[in-house]
Amino acid sequence: EPEVTQTPSHQVTQMGQEVILRCVPISNHLYFYWYRQILGQKVEFLVSFYNNEISEKSEIFDDQFSVERPDGSNFTLKIRSTKLEDSAMYFCATDIQNTGELFFGEGSRLTVL
Amino acid sequence: ELKVEQNPLFLSMQEGKNYTIYCNYSTTSDRLYWYRQDPGKSLESLFVLLSNGAVKQEGRLMASLDTKARLSTLHITAAVHDLSATYFCAVDKRETSGSRLTFGEGTQLTVNP
């Protein structure tokens, strides 16, 4: 059973539409991350989240992106107005600080048409 | 800017042979990860290397870290077909208390019978 659960596994959307990707992390983990992987390319850091606020973000994570943990359980990534180039696999990850283990979810494949 | 380079990017080898994948990175780092990714799947953690001279082995895979040379290696011993996958190294450069991984381009390994 996956330790980090992501939904949906695959979403197809029209350009300009809003998308929300969800992650249910391991319950006692403190740090949450989003990474993305464009097909055939390397994995890229988007954002880290701790104590209900963004800890660090990359240049990819522009104003179209937002993250929140609305109910203390689910960790969400929202893309406000999707672009074709947002098509990618989005991975949620979590860890306990300083344990050295970073757990990745199964990923959500986003296809923007 | 932290750069992580892997080589080779593509590796085709015969079963039973040995080979090494190299991962060079450009600045000092807190830790180095090796991941395996099967097509369309998530990232499976193989090794976490925390200090200079660290060596870890699991089955036919052995990873090492030389922080002075900024080099990590993933050595494959007596390859089998099941090892066919893409292997990523990732370097953790912590600007804040959270993790931020910079991934290499990946090495696509094909083991032929």
Side-chain angles (χ1 to χ4, degrees):
Chain A
E1 185 177 341
E3 295 178 331
V4 179
T5 306
Q6 289 187 240
T7 57
S9 56
H10 188 193
Q11 181 156 354
V12 181
T13 190
Q14 295 290 325
M15 191 169 55
Q17 295 297 304
E18 176 182 284
V19 160
I20 298 176
L21 306 178
R22 291 182 172 79
C23 168
V24 180
I26 302 165
S27 61
N28 60 341
H29 283 202
L30 303 177
Y31 290 84
F32 310 101
Y33 309 89
W34 284 102
Y35 286 80
R36 80 170 185 190
Q37 184 180 32
I38 295 171
L39 185 63
Q41 298 187 23
K42 65 180 178 182
V43 180
E44 300 172 293
F45 170 82
L46 291 179
V47 66
S48 60
F49 190 84
Y50 170 72
N51 201 25
N52 284 324
E53 59 183 26
I54 290 175
S55 178
E56 191 176 357
K57 60 184 180 179
S58 71
E59 60 278 5
I60 302 169
F61 194 89
D62 61 23
D63 292 344
Q64 293 298 315
F65 291 89
S66 63
V67 288
E68 63 177 1
R69 198 171 178 220
D71 56 7
S73 175
N74 291 303
F75 177 49
T76 63
L77 174 69
K78 182 193 290 185
I79 308 174
R80 204 159 288 120
S81 177
T82 50
K83 304 188 283 286
L84 295 177
E85 54 266 36
D86 293 328
S87 295
M89 183 77 94
Y90 289 82
F91 293 105
C92 171
T94 71
D95 69 352
I96 299 175
Q97 186 184 13
N98 296 326
T99 66
E101 288 285 347
L102 192 64
F103 297 93
F104 281 84
E106 295 294 302
S108 293
R109 179 170 297 284
L110 175 65
T111 302
V112 182
L113 302 176
Chain B
E1 182 191 346
L2 174 57
K3 292 189 190 326
V4 181
E5 293 182 348
Q6 285 181 239
N7 73 85
L9 298 182
F10 297 94
L11 176 56
S12 180
M13 57 192 296
Q14 296 295 119
E15 278 192 328
K17 298 293 187 183
N18 304 332
Y19 209 82
T20 300
I21 299 170
Y22 297 89
C23 175
N24 288 92
Y25 53 97
S26 60
T27 66
T28 56
S29 158
D30 298 295
R31 59 191 64 172
L32 188 139
Y33 296 79
W34 283 97
Y35 288 94
R36 168 182 172 145
Q37 187 179 42
D38 291 293
K41 302 293 186 182
S42 186
L43 296 158
E44 177 190 352
S45 178
L46 296 175
F47 302 107
V48 182
L49 303 169
L50 300 177
S51 60
N52 187 42
V55 177
K56 291 194 175 180
Q57 182 162 5
E58 181 74 32
R60 301 176 188 273
L61 301 178
M62 183 172 72
S64 66
L65 178 62
D66 181 345
T67 57
K68 291 188 174 64
R70 297 179 189 159
L71 170 69
S72 180
T73 61
L74 181 67
H75 186 72
I76 303 156
T77 302
V80 293
H81 179 68
D82 286 351
L83 289 179
S84 297
T86 299
Y87 292 85
F88 290 95
C89 67
V91 174
D92 192 357
K93 182 69 175 174
R94 297 191 168 209
E95 302 291 341
T96 65
S97 57
S99 173
R100 175 174 178 160
L101 300 190
T102 300
F103 282 78
E105 299 285 336
T107 297
Q108 189 174 314
L109 171 65
T110 303
V111 181
N112 302 305

